Each structure stands twice: as C-alpha cells, then as structure tokens.
Amino acid sequence: MIISSYNKDGIGDVLLVMTKSSVAKDQNFETKGKITRIFNVLTKKTVGYNFFDSSDYFSINANGPLTLNTEQISILNNFLLKQGFTDQLEGDEAPKFIIGYVKECISHPNSDHLSITQVEVDNQQVVQIVCGAANIAVGQKVVVAKVGAMMPDGTAIWDGELRGEKSRGMVCSAKELGIKEEQVKKGILVLPDSAVVGTEFQK
C-alpha cells in the first residue's frame, strides 16, 4: 500500500511516496542518487521515498494526490534497485473514495462524542470506522475515505485507533472533501438514497 502525491509548483519536480504512517520526529533519511529513503529511526523500516527529478521517470499530470498505475510502479521499482534500495513498492489502483452504507452505529465506550460504526464499502466489505460526527446514524449512505486515500488537505488515511478502538478509514464531511460547506449541512456528508453503495464517489 502506498500513498503518492506530486505538486511541482509547491515543492518542485519531486514525487512523494508514503508507505507507512509516520511522524517527523521519528524519521531519518538516506539519499542515493536522486532518491531519498525516509525511515523510522527505531525500527529502521521504510516509511516513504522522495523521487527527485521525477519527470525523468515518466510524465505526471497531477497537482496533489495521484494514483500510480502498474507501469509507473514498475519503473520506480527498477530505479530503486538501480540505486541500491531493496524495498519494492506495491501499488493499488482501486478507488479510495467510496460510497458506503452505515450498517451499525454505537457509542464509543471511552468517549462522550465518538461513535463506532460498521460501514459497508466496495465488494460488500464491512469496515469499522470510529467517527466523531454528531449526525452519523444507521441507514445512511456516506462517503468513505479508505485506507490509502489522501484528503484534499494532504492528510493521509492509514489504519488507526481512537480511544482503544480500531478505525479503518474515515467517514467524510463535505469540508474534508473540498465541497463548499454552504452547499450542505455540517457534519458528515449524507448522500441521497439513490447513491450506489460500493461505487466511487465523484464530487
């Protein structure tokens, strides 16, 4: 699982690839050629790569989050090997913003405002998501940012835990999706009954 982004105007011709959740204080890095590997200082495991002069690898038409295809992943893996890195990237082209259905919603035992939900996403998979929105309820069709998604503000979605309960993804509000709030009610974005569960959400 990787999360990728590219913003030439903001940081230059650098492809950012994240492979694990990490915080800056726990990171160190090593550079070989035009590739910088970021790793956890305690575990030594890779948490991401920066590919400099990335247009040398392939053309990127993006300004923000992007999904790398199989061919692009293969090209990057070849460059990693040529520079002496042993890790190999594993891509996932499946949509990351999915229309979900809230099948269950209970109060979090260790919080007065969080809810533990069971949400059906694509391929009838049900995932547990801890949600802080007051308006979430059973029977709603909602937008789910799956693990591997990157939000418009740059936040990466990884497996997590809130107050001791596992959370795999995020139920999104309009603001988090970059939709003007005045167009919808506050809280999570509740979709009409006509929305098809398991399909990709399109703004």
Side-chain angles (χ1 to χ4, degrees):
M1 173 69 68
I2 63 172
I3 300 177
S4 309
S5 66
Y6 181 82
N7 185 342
K8 189 171 184 178
D9 292 337
I11 61 173
D13 189 18
V14 184
L15 174 63
L16 307 180
V17 177
M18 292 176 280
T19 59
K20 287 183 174 61
S21 177
S22 181
V23 293
K25 68 180 182 66
D26 296 331
Q27 296 175 357
N28 205 339
F29 64 92
E30 60 172 328
T31 299
K32 297 179 181 180
K34 295 182 179 180
I35 303 175
T36 293
R37 169 182 173 257
I38 301 99
F39 61 91
N40 183 289
V41 294
L42 297 177
T43 66
K44 306 304 180 184
K45 290 185 177 180
T46 301
V47 298
Y49 286 99
N50 293 343
F51 293 87
F52 294 90
D53 294 334
S54 56
S55 59
D56 291 349
Y57 308 128
F58 44 75
S59 177
I60 301 176
N61 296 314
N63 185 29
L66 77 156
T67 300
L68 298 172
N69 61 38
T70 302
E71 181 182 358
Q72 292 169 329
I73 292 291
S74 178
I75 291 170
L76 294 178
N77 281 335
N78 285 334
F79 273 97
L80 286 171
L81 292 174
K82 287 179 180 178
Q83 294 299 333
F85 293 107
T86 58
D87 291 328
Q88 292 284 273
L89 305 175
E90 294 184 8
D92 180 5
E93 296 184 56
K96 295 300 181 291
F97 292 90
I98 295 293
I99 297 173
Y101 178 76
V102 183
K103 302 188 72 171
E104 182 180 307
C105 181
I106 63 174
S107 297
H108 194 299
N110 298 315
S111 172
D112 59 0
H113 70 283
L114 295 175
S115 298
I116 302 171
T117 68
Q118 303 297 325
V119 184
E120 180 182 339
V121 288
D122 48 343
N123 299 316
Q124 298 183 320
Q125 178 189 18
V126 176
V127 294
Q128 177 168 296
I129 300 176
V130 178
C131 179
N135 67 324
I136 193 163
V138 169
Q140 292 172 334
K141 292 182 178 180
V142 297
V143 181
V144 176
K146 297 176 64 180
V147 172
M150 179 177 280
M151 304 304 294
D153 67 357
T155 300
I157 304 299
W158 301 100
D159 277 327
E161 189 173 291
L162 288 172
R163 303 279 183 95
E165 295 290 340
K166 292 182 179 180
S167 186
R168 185 169 175 77
M170 183 173 72
V171 180
C172 303
S173 69
K175 182 179 180 180
E176 290 164 337
L177 293 166
I179 300 172
K180 292 182 179 179
E181 288 186 274
E182 59 265 24
Q183 297 176 2
V184 291
K185 296 179 180 179
K186 290 185 177 181
I188 59 162
L189 178 62
V190 180
L191 302 173
D193 289 340
S194 58
V196 180
V197 175
T199 61
E200 183 176 7
F201 173 73
Q202 302 283 353
K203 287 197 291 184

